Amino acid sequence: MSTSPSALRDGGRILDAGALTAIHRYPVKSCRGLAVDRARVERAGLDGDRRWMLAHPDGTMATARTQPGLVLAVPEPGPGGLTMTAPGMTPLQVAVPSPDAEPMAVRVHRWDTAGLRAGPVADAWFSALIGADVRLVHLDDPDRRRPDPDFSDAADRVSYADGFPLLLATEESLAQVNEWVADGANAVEGPLPMTRFRPNVVVTGFPSFAEDGWRRIRIGDARFRAVKGCARCVLTTVHPDTAAKGREPMVTLARHRRFDKKVWFGVNLIPDDLGAEIRVGDPIEILDAVDPSDGPRR
């Protein structure tokens, strides 16, 4: 399929079309992501995405923002649980907690939610990996948490993701960021891979940052609302293969993508067609959009 933009005319309904080039799931929040060829769309996000997270004893989330070693932990989903591997660590088998497992109240940013504890063996493994006392928690009820009410409907839900069910990024926007990095003071850090931004879906066939103006899109058979841009943080500066911290892309985004005192890359999605399956190679249709020149919705 061609990756060049294709303007369509259908009574003004479809504005542009491109293609889905990658799908990523992140079974454990802040740990390594997994590329897949297809995924089922659920109310809280892609099936199996961010259904586990690590929390400090007080329930606040533990992420690679402050514990960069988490990006080196690789989850492999299997029947009934996960296998975790990481450099220098004995592999860990983690079962999905039973319904009578110990519950734990946790917080994702300013949003309260909860889950079931995976148990002391898993806690000890992750605590040894990052050198901090943490608990592994499983999302037993994906319908528990609502996205930001300012950008969602009452029936919308989200997993342990930061704010919304899915994150979309475009190859063209990443290419533009890498051009900016190459022209800047930290060129040695580039080019940056898409994995720095941890999107669920990657698309191509559009001008860079056209996604700032998108409001409704279709991926294959699944429709989504593009509800808000994604404000980025220091997690993007963590090298996904080494856990080393750099300065990019935050320095470059601050120069070129600064709006309302935050820096932005990607767009958050909320699904409308639950149960649909998306596949790499699916067409992307922009069903509704506004002028992107004012930057992302925020």
Side-chain angles (χ1 to χ4, degrees), residues 85-184:
T85 58
M89 301 290 293
T90 301
L92 170 72
Q93 302 291 328
V94 185
V96 171
S98 64
D100 60 354
E102 180 183 352
M104 184 175 182
V106 295
R107 171 167 281 206
V108 179
H109 295 293
R110 68 183 190 273
W111 309 106
D112 292 325
T113 183
L116 298 178
R117 290 187 58 181
V121 174
D123 296 346
W125 192 90
F126 279 100
S127 297
L129 173 67
I130 63 175
D133 188 12
V134 292
R135 313 284 186 263
L136 180 63
V137 179
H138 179 257
L139 183 62
D140 58 311
D141 181 5
D143 287 336
R144 183 178 282 119
R145 177 178 165 228
R146 180 183 172 182
D148 186 338
D150 291 338
F151 298 93
S152 65
D153 296 337
D156 296 330
R157 292 296 182 267
V158 62
S159 64
Y160 288 142
D162 279 354
F164 296 90
L166 286 86
L167 175 64
L168 176 148
T170 73
E171 292 187 2
E172 289 80 6
S173 296
L174 176 63
Q176 178 62 78
V177 169
N178 278 324
E179 285 186 23
W180 290 332
V181 170
D183 290 337

Side-chain angles (χ1 to χ4, degrees), residues 2 9 16 39 44 49 73 85 123 129 142 154 173 184 188 202-203 205 213 250 252 260-261 292:
S2 171
R9 294 290 180 266
D16 295 285
D49 183 63
T85 58
D123 296 346
L129 173 67
S173 296
V188 67
V202 180
V203 306
M250 294 299 286
T252 292
D260 295 348
K261 300 182 180 180

Side-chain angles (χ1 to χ4, degrees), residues 21 46 57 74 91 100 134 161 170 187 203 221 226 257 259 261 263 266 270 276 292:
T21 58
L46 298 182
V74 182
D100 60 354
V134 292
T170 73
V203 306
D221 296 328
R257 293 282 298 167
F259 304 94
K261 300 182 180 180
V263 300
I270 295 179

